[in-house]
Amino acid sequence: MVKKYRVAHSPDADDLFMFAPVRWGWVSVGGGRVKLEGVTVDIEELNRLALEGVYDVTAISFGVYPLIWREYALLRSCHSFGFGYGPKLVKRKGSRLRRRFRVALSGEYTTNALIFKIAYPEARPVYTHFRQIEELVLKGEVEAGVLIHESILDLPEGLEVERELWDIWVELVREELPLPLGGMALRRSIPLLTAIEIEEGLQRGVELGNRYREIGRKMLEESFQLPISGELLERYLEMYAGEEATQLSEAQIRGLEALFKLATNRLGYPRLGPVESYTIPRGYRTLREGRVQW
């Protein structure tokens, strides 16, 4: 009997690229016993739906995880971090931001909103879809906005960068750690062996996507209507869906723990322990299959 699970991800190029090998049948999950059905939803809506426990496996902003850890475990792959780059706080050219400036953010539960609110506690957020942020700033409906995703690659005429969130992040944690942005979470009620198979299947998808990057990128452009293509798309995928997205590294784990600590100490979020304790215990399969050497 084939078990079906819904995997929700955003329509952004990095999420599409990481899940596409599973969608295209490049990966067999659980020897064909598990079928993953993709659902495409905006990331802030996914954050809110994760609070309600709607999807079996879901993309999330890491900023929301302290609020959902009881229902969801973190996956070790399909994640996006920045290192030396990330979201940008922008304003109209030549303008000056006042202390209580209005700022357009891509969602209340996004990681960039979490970091921004710590750095600018007196600013007045306006939450909107990330593709509308540039226009709101240019029209003067807000004084500034935080650009994310592919918007950071090509700044429109009339806007300039006030601050890089990467610089804010380094100042807050006092160390150059990878900047956690988004990842995947899996419902804890899924049977453990199945959860392991799902995680391994998604990880293989990221590995294959990067191994056959040129083929995957071209298929991505043919399959979906993306706002970027060609060299710009390649650059974006290298930034947010490259080999670093395959498996959480020690530095990425430290970055996550620093983010969760900031959320607790500065915004009153629930306190979390070591990140590893919120991931799927893969060692269970070894015990179950009797491969332990005593």
Side-chain angles (χ1 to χ4, degrees), residues 40-54:
T40 306
V41 185
D42 176 69
I43 187 60
E44 177 62 3
E45 182 65 15
L46 287 178
N47 289 333
R48 293 183 179 278
L49 293 173
L51 291 167
E52 300 172 16
V54 171

Side-chain angles (χ1 to χ4, degrees), residues 82-261:
F83 194 84
Y85 54 84
K88 300 175 184 291
L89 174 64
V90 300
K91 62 180 182 179
R92 280 175 294 170
K93 281 186 177 178
S95 66
R96 184 176 180 179
L97 298 180
R98 299 180 179 181
R99 189 175 62 182
R100 299 189 69 251
F101 64 92
R102 292 171 300 167
V103 59
L105 300 176
S106 56
E108 182 179 0
Y109 296 103
T110 57
T111 311
N112 67 83
L114 186 156
I115 294 172
F116 176 86
K117 286 185 283 189
I118 292 174
Y120 295 92
E122 294 184 89
R124 294 173 290 163
V126 174
Y127 299 111
T128 186
H129 191 278
F130 78 93
R131 296 196 193 282
Q132 298 176 335
I133 291 176
E134 294 170 337
E135 183 179 0
L136 291 177
V137 180
L138 287 169
K139 287 183 175 180
E141 295 183 24
V142 293
E143 285 73 54
V146 176
L147 301 186
I148 62 172
H149 299 316
E150 67 275 357
S151 300
I152 70 172
L153 299 179
D154 189 18
L155 205 63
E157 186 68 26
L159 295 183
E160 62 183 7
V161 176
E162 169 75 7
R163 290 189 76 187
E164 299 274 355
L165 253 69
W166 164 258
D167 294 330
I168 296 173
W169 165 251
V170 172
E171 289 177 11
L172 289 172
V173 300
R174 301 180 181 179
E175 188 176 356
E176 289 195 351
L177 293 173
L179 168 58
L181 296 170
M184 296 288 286
L186 179 144
R187 193 197 306 276
R188 292 185 183 276
S189 59
I190 294 175
L192 186 50
L193 284 178
T194 302
I196 293 171
E197 291 171 339
I198 292 173
E199 180 177 51
E200 291 176 344
L202 291 173
Q203 181 176 339
R204 283 197 300 273
V206 179
E207 291 171 349
L208 288 173
N210 279 287
R211 186 180 305 169
Y212 303 103
R213 170 70 68 80
E214 186 174 354
I215 297 173
R217 178 177 57 79
K218 289 180 178 179
M219 290 180 66
L220 199 69
E221 292 184 70
E222 294 171 358
S223 302
F224 304 97
Q225 292 184 337
L226 302 175
I228 53 176
S229 60
E231 293 183 2
L232 206 59
L233 175 58
E234 175 64 27
R235 180 183 167 196
Y236 181 74
L237 294 178
E238 182 61 33
M239 292 169 67
Y240 290 123
E243 293 182 0
E244 293 81 5
T246 304
Q247 177 76 20
L248 276 175
S249 67
E250 181 179 342
Q252 289 170 338
I253 289 174
R254 290 174 59 206
L256 277 172
E257 291 177 345
L259 177 70
F260 297 155
K261 184 177 179 180

